[in-house]
Amino acid sequence: MTEIQGNTQKMYKRKTQSKLLVFTGGAALLAVAVNLAIVAICKRKKKKELPGFELRPNLSASEILNLADKIIAKSKKVHDAVASVPPNKVTYSNVISPLADLEAEQFPLVQSCVFPKLISTSDDVRAASAEAERRIDAHAQMCSKREDVYRVVKAFSARGEQTSAEQKCFIQCLVRDFERNGLNLTTSKRKELLRLRVQIEELSLRYIQNLNDDGTFIPFSEAELDGLPKEFFESLDKTENGKFKVVMRSHHTAVVLEHCKVGTTRRMVAMAYGKRCGEVNLSILENLVHLRHKFARLQGYSNYADYAVHYRMARSSAKVFEFLENISDSITDLAAKELASLKNLKKQEEGESPFGIEDLLYYVKRAEDQEFNLDFVTVKQYFPVSLVLSGIFKIMQDLFGLRFEEVIDAEVWHYDVKLYSVFDLNSGELIGYFFLDLYTREEKYIHTCVVALQSSALLSNGTRQIPVALLLSQLQNDVDGHAGLMRFTEVVNLFHEFGHVVQHVCNRAPFTRISGLRLDPDFVEIPAQILENWCYESVSLKLLSGFHQDITVPIKDEVCESLKKWRHSFSALKLKQEILYCLFDQIIHCAENVDIIELFKHLHSKVMLGLPMLEGTNPASCFPCSAIGYEAACYSRVWSEVFSADIFVSKFRGNLLNQHIGLQFRNKVLAPGGAKEPIDVLSDFLGREPSIQAFIDSKAEYSL
Ligand SMILES: *[C@@H]1O[C@H](CO)[C@@H](O)[C@H](O)[C@H]1NC(C)=O
Ligand SMILES: *[C@@H]1O[C@H](CO)[C@@H](O)[C@H](O)[C@H]1NC(C)=O
Ligand SMILES: *[C@@H]1O[C@H](CO)[C@@H](O)[C@H](O)[C@H]1NC(C)=O
Ligand SMILES: *[C@@H]1O[C@H](CO)[C@@H](O)[C@H](O)[C@H]1NC(C)=O
Ligand SMILES: CC(=O)N[C@H]1CO[C@H](CO)[C@@H](O)[C@@H]1O
Ligand SMILES: [Zn+2]
């Protein structure tokens, strides 16, 4: 039945499409024949005027480069004007407003130039977009180092004039961003700071490059890889003498460590994986850490960790330690229980050989297979893309008091892409827009993510700029009447990313620099992490699911229950492992001259309940998190997860579709965004300070 319906629908579509083609073809020809001006008029008429929409979603390569140059010229003009204000004449309206308005107006234009790099189907457009980004970035870098502008801003801030809390917050950000570039230092120190930054960037890149270049592999016979899925064998290259090559990359090692029945193979793989880039990257990391401490001391901090954490929710490295240690201590008993059950399982399967860190993934998988009877191939049959989407729409609209409406004939960059307007359900006010670009396509950015294309701002003439978000993902579209199906993890990811869409669109912060998704990194993930919970509760999971051949058949209650248990299975042990890396990262960025190898050995055994580090491995040499991007901030993921759990349990569990609470969350947490301290935002919503207890309890609740 569904098959036939699908086909007729397709035929119907094809017919109307070809009619349209004929019609536009004819119209275009006619227009060209009569007068070129008519083409322009027709085009303008066809393109819908969207209120508050400043973005230009489908520019050509030359338009992108022209716009980039215009942006830079305008920005330079405004910065020059601000810099020319004499320090004794500075006012809010001649210094702060022009900078704030400039950022707000230029953000959607900058994004119009830069985001086509991620999604355009044209090579020329992507190249132009990358070039535009390079030019705009170079300009922005230069502006952020302009001493003349800094002096004027600082002069205003030093006057201590009465401003609103949001304005104060914005001014602090302006000053801080300049000062983090060394603008309040002497010239020689500033030069030293910039020199250090360049060195740090070079070393970070080299560390990553070494890992990327590593081509180590181990040849194994079929018997040595017993237990691996058949498709995996088929995907492996072979050596001359017919052995299978397992390369030391996570897409191979993870499969072996999870599925291979042969203990010695797992051990060899775990060892070789943990030895990658050995001495070289270790010495790079030592150097990096040393330079980072120097960098932080130039700015008046006693170590790099304090510099990195200062403006985050955690505020100080001491607080991070206290947090990690509290969590680690409170899950020790649970983790020990989990480990004991894994050891037991190994004894049954392999006899008396000692349990090592290389056995962890394999026995977790074995235990889960025994425990849950969860067949993810079957689970997938319950998640057709269109049904999941309509479920997400329903939940987000009901919960947060929103209405989504598709914009027909919107200007887009590919015919799969859709644009939606978002209205407040009660007032009918238009509050933002979002694009969905969901399906895989060649040359498209490969990660699932949300990009802010236009951000909330209040211009000085009273105009409010509304947010525009773009959600990118890699789903399978329906093919030949067969519904595209989603893996469960994809459902969770999509829900998470939709959380960011709603977060961005509901934000009302008045300055682009602190609005939308430009929030404290310890805080920005919290709303989306909270929303992931909806994927594990049967009330909401049923709204997201239905058997693909008969969507009225929802996913079974037992499956919902199993998914929830699966989410928490062995989570204390997994968390211990994450905390191990977080502690390592925090310690090396806190103290000078730490013996990195000894530290890791010591921490490993202490945090992992006596499990030793694998002999000869060197996790610090192949642990990019602490080398680049997240240095001294690895804790951040655990941090936000802990507070997400608190909010979910205290406010939303049992109230999954409660609009009253959803609206409170929207108004108190999503709307203010970066214009308030995150801790105050959360406390205001919770009616008390956030706590780690709910998180600990949730681990215990689902323990074996
Ligand atoms: C420079 O600014 C940084 C960051 O705002 C601050 O921590 C530091 O104390 C300032 N240094 C001087 C010498 O004023
Ligand atoms: C850690 O635990 C101590 C003692 O229970 C408590 O006073 C402190 O607030 C906790 N710290 C954090 C960050 O939760
Ligand atoms: C985007 O613009 C190009 C011309 O620059 C045009 O060929 C294409 O059809 C447009 N894409 C869509 C989906 O409208
Ligand atoms: C305020 O300024 C923006 C940007 O320059 C402009 O688009 C808008 O029309 C102005 N609004 C009013 C009411 O003047
Ligand atoms: C000494 C050492 O381990 N060097 C390695 C550093 O990383 C590169 C890239 O992986 C390897 O080729 C070197 O052997
Ligand atoms: Zn996220």
Side-chain angles (χ1 to χ4, degrees), residues 210-211 213-214 277-280:
N210 281 346
L211 284 174
D213 292 347
D214 183 287
C277 301
E279 312 277 302
V280 166

Side-chain angles (χ1 to χ4, degrees), residues 107 111 114-115 118-119 435 445 449-454 468-472 497 500-501 504 517:
F107 185 69
Q111 293 302 68
V114 168
F115 94 99
L118 305 176
I119 43 76
F435 287 99
Y445 185 63
C449 62
V450 171
V451 185
L453 296 179
Q454 183 170 309
V468 181
L470 159 64
L471 194 159
L472 289 175
E497 296 305 331
H500 286 311
V501 169
H504 184 66
L517 303 174

Side-chain angles (χ1 to χ4, degrees), residues 229-248:
K230 201 166 130 257
E231 315 83 72
F232 184 70
F233 274 112
E234 282 161 10
S235 76
L236 293 180
D237 287 335
K238 285 192 182 175
T239 62
E240 282 167 9
N241 50 13
K243 290 202 168 184
F244 294 94
K245 284 186 184 177
V246 172
V247 297
M248 292 305 110

Side-chain angles (χ1 to χ4, degrees), residues 173-231:
C173 272
L174 277 178
V175 171
R176 180 184 86 199
D177 291 352
F178 281 122
E179 293 186 347
R180 289 223 146 181
N181 280 323
L183 288 181
N184 61 345
L185 301 179
T186 60
T187 315
S188 66
K189 279 189 173 172
R190 189 186 317 162
K191 276 195 181 139
E192 169 76 358
L193 193 76
L194 297 179
R195 198 177 60 77
L196 283 170
R197 182 180 290 166
V198 170
Q199 282 183 326
I200 288 171
E201 274 164 19
E202 276 172 12
L203 281 178
S204 308
L205 273 179
R206 231 194 307 148
Y207 182 102
I208 297 293
Q209 195 60 46
N210 281 346
L211 284 174
N212 285 342
D213 292 347
D214 183 287
T216 321
F217 66 87
I218 310 179
F220 286 112
S221 69
E222 195 170 341
E224 285 166 331
L225 293 176
D226 189 20
L228 299 194
K230 201 166 130 257
E231 315 83 72

Side-chain angles (χ1 to χ4, degrees), residues 319 322-323 326 692:
K319 184 86 183 169
E322 185 185 294
F323 170 83
N326 273 14
I692 68 174

Side-chain angles (χ1 to χ4, degrees), residues 58 60 412-415:
N58 187 32
S60 69
V412 290
W413 48 93
H414 187 271
Y415 53 78

